Amino acid sequence: MGYAYSKIAEYDVIETGSSRTSSIGKSSAESLSKLERSVIQLSMQDTPRSIQTPSKWGARLANLLGREQPNHLASQPLEELRRFAIMTRVRGEADAAMLHRLADAGYSAGQAELAINLVLRHSAQSNKERTQTTGWLLILVVAAFVFFAMQATLEETMVSIIVASLAFATLASLVAPREQ
């Protein structure tokens, strides 16, 4: 089953097969409204701790230390969707209990499947971006090591800078994505 969408909150319509919804109308059994997609997108930055209810002492300690308490959504179905998205992102899949809670909140199996796909695609994209950033930082650390190693042996700053720059450029060209 193919899904047509680009960014979660950018478009007013997500289609699955032949059913569709707009941001104004009520969502059909196989689609999510713009508000529901926005809830999923916003939940990508939330931690599992944001869906837990703190103990009485934990809440007092958080207030004393100036920590913000997590705010839950006023709409119970949207809060269940947010919880579902957070736990699906953290676990990498949706278990039966999570699906049952989402169904109890009024969502269909098609909407749950669409929510899972949105969450997992967003998570995969975030992981890819994080991996690329880590790779560039690693190259930068290697270039800095080359600079300091050259500086210690030659005591020539300009030569060390040139060699470190060449090392950085060489490593960057080796790991940069190639057009096919």
Side-chain angles (χ1 to χ4, degrees):
M1 174 182 294
Y3 295 98
Y5 75 97
S6 181
K7 292 184 180 176
I8 294 176
E10 185 174 316
Y11 296 99
D12 290 338
V13 176
I14 287 184
E15 297 182 25
T16 63
S18 62
S19 62
R20 60 184 280 160
T21 183
S22 70
S23 61
I24 298 171
K26 292 189 175 186
S27 59
S28 67
E30 297 294 320
S31 60
L32 295 171
S33 70
K34 187 174 182 179
L35 178 61
E36 291 165 335
R37 287 178 277 135
S38 295
V39 167
I40 291 172
Q41 185 178 17
L42 291 172
S43 72
M44 293 298 111
Q45 285 79 34
D46 291 341
T47 63
R49 189 175 188 188
S50 71
I51 61 176
Q52 297 171 347
T53 305
S55 66
K56 188 183 288 186
W57 286 104
R60 288 180 183 161
L61 181 62
N63 286 337
L64 181 67
L65 297 176
R67 287 189 194 159
E68 289 188 30
Q69 295 294 324
N71 290 328
H72 300 291
L73 299 176
S75 169
Q76 189 60 32
L78 290 177
E79 178 62 22
E80 285 301 323
L81 181 63
R82 184 179 81 89
R83 290 170 177 267
F84 179 79
I86 292 169
M87 294 311 295
T88 301
R89 177 178 47 86
V90 169
R91 293 181 181 167
E93 63 182 8
D95 62 15
M98 291 170 32
L99 289 168
H100 184 68
R101 284 184 66 168
L102 194 64
D104 288 346
Y107 291 95
S108 69
Q111 289 172 317
E113 182 181 347
L114 184 54
I116 291 168
N117 286 334
L118 289 173
V119 168
L120 295 180
R121 286 186 185 194
H122 186 274
S123 295
Q125 182 181 12
S126 296
N127 288 341
K128 183 179 178 184
E129 291 169 1
R130 198 174 305 121
T131 302
Q132 288 174 345
T133 302
T134 304
W136 285 107
L137 288 175
L138 183 61
I139 292 171
L140 191 59
V141 167
V142 169
F145 175 76
V146 168
F147 170 78
F148 288 116
M150 292 299 295
Q151 184 68 21
T153 57
L154 295 178
E155 296 181 3
E156 291 288 331
T157 305
M158 287 308 292
V159 172
S160 300
I161 290 173
I162 292 170
V163 171
S165 299
L166 288 172
F168 180 81
T170 302
L171 291 173
S173 67
L174 291 174
V175 298
R178 302 197 191 298
E179 303 250 347
Q180 296 183 3

